[in-house]
Amino acid sequence: MAETKDGHDQPRRTDMPTDLTALPGRPLTGQVALVTGGVRRIGRAIALALAEAGADIVINARSSADEAEDVCRAARALGARAEVHLADVTREDDVERMRDHVLGRFGRLDVLVNNAAIRQQAALTEMSLHEWRSVLSVILDGAFLTSRAFLPAMVAQGYGRIVNIGGVSAHTGASQRAHVAAAKAGIEGFTRALAVEFAASGVTANCVVPGKIGGKRSATSGESFGIHDREVRPIVGREGRPEDVAAMVMTLCGSAGSYITGQSLHVNGGLFLT
């Protein structure tokens, strides 16, 4: 809480910090964004949307250096400063080194997008404890460690946007995806807790929940079951695009998102109706 001249506390601002150098159509000029798991599909689309809006971008990946650098080249072509930082978000020391690097390089972090995930599949009765924990670790431990690492800087500057990427299976269930559904349900609860704890510090936290997103899936995604089956179509008549999800993230990170926090926002074309 900020203190007024008469000694009373008042909430910190949650609107975007003013940057007089911002160009029309580039509302995030002067801001810095980190996207975990930012090399493919939704992560890539989010990173490029933020870059196009004027933010400087840090692309996090665990090991895909070439793909991450490809995203950076695309972001630089949009006029952003962009760089890669390889780190395993489940490792506390990796995340702390990433925090030190980002803050040392840019001096701030305004936007944190927790997108890193693995979506392996296994029948529940055949699922090992290692498989269960590995999925929960990337999705939940990763979001916890990165949020914990960067929140002090956001609180100190009185501004921040945290966007966690959820999953529709947390609401519908999915065959052979018990670990994924559990982790994605957990990230929504984590988001609400962040929103309550840090609202007075000028930090918003929201969860964007994609539905059936088309395009080539990563090697860790496996096949689709349940509501993601090919015969199940969103009521708008098409699968989603990664850019559809990125557009919602951009809304939350821009001035239009200043009064939105603690929410789970579904981007699914009516595949699942809340």
Side-chain angles (χ1 to χ4, degrees):
M1 301 284 279
E3 189 173 283
T4 62
K5 291 182 179 179
D6 60 6
H8 292 93
D9 288 337
Q10 62 180 7
R12 294 200 183 184
R13 60 185 297 165
T14 57
D15 55 322
M16 292 174 60
T18 301
D19 187 336
L20 298 180
T21 67
L23 301 173
R26 296 177 68 82
L28 300 188
T29 299
Q31 295 197 38
V32 180
L34 168 64
V35 182
T36 70
V39 301
R40 305 181 193 98
R41 288 171 53 83
I42 290 173
R44 178 189 175 94
I46 291 170
L48 296 183
L50 294 169
E52 189 171 21
D56 295 325
I57 305 296
V58 179
I59 302 298
N60 159 257
R62 182 169 58 184
S63 58
S64 304
D66 290 342
E67 289 178 284
E69 186 54 45
D70 180 65
V71 180
C72 283
R73 283 192 292 270
R76 294 180 195 121
L78 294 169
R81 289 191 298 172
E83 60 182 55
V84 175
H85 190 93
L86 297 181
D88 183 341
V89 295
T90 71
R91 294 179 58 87
E92 189 171 15
D93 53 348
D94 271 21
V95 173
E96 289 176 353
R97 281 194 293 269
M98 181 164 63
R99 173 202 60 202
D100 293 345
H101 173 80
V102 171
L103 297 181
R105 176 78 171 85
F106 295 97
R108 62 186 297 121
L109 187 75
D110 301 282
V111 175
L112 170 62
V113 180
N114 287 310
N115 174 67
I118 55 176
R119 299 173 181 84
Q120 297 168 341
Q121 61 192 50
L124 183 65
T125 54
E126 299 173 4
M127 186 184 299
S128 70
L129 183 59
H130 172 74
E131 288 174 310
W132 171 268
R133 287 179 172 169
S134 65
V135 169
L136 267 67
S137 182
V138 174
I139 295 171
L140 288 176
D141 294 352
F144 161 68
L145 289 171
T146 54
S147 298
R148 188 185 67 175
F150 286 102
L151 270 164
M154 291 181 172
V155 169
Q157 68 198 25
Y159 177 87
R161 296 281 188 265
I162 296 177
V163 181
N164 299 317
I165 305 301
V168 72
S169 64
H171 298 266
T172 65
S175 178
Q176 301 190 29
R177 296 288 183 88
H179 41 6
V180 177
K184 291 298 189 177
I187 204 70
E188 294 194 38
F190 178 66
T191 299
R192 289 189 282 273
L194 288 180
V196 172
E197 187 166 349
F198 293 96
S201 299
V203 179
T204 65
N206 291 286
C207 184
V208 173
V209 185
K212 188 175 183 181
I213 305 301
K216 183 179 179 181
R217 303 176 68 84
S218 68
T220 60
S221 293
E223 297 297 327
S224 296
F225 295 88
I227 201 168
H228 286 82
D229 285 348
R230 295 184 185 278
E231 66 270 15
V232 179
R233 293 182 62 81
I235 60 176
V236 300
R238 68 168 176 87
E239 292 183 328
R241 298 181 295 262
E243 291 76 15
D244 294 322
V245 182
M248 177 59 75
V249 174
M250 267 303 307
T251 297
L252 295 171
C253 294
S255 58
S258 64
Y259 200 58
I260 304 172
T261 194
Q263 305 303 310
S264 294
L265 297 117
H266 289 256
V267 180
N268 63 37
L271 180 71
F272 168 75
L273 303 177
T274 60

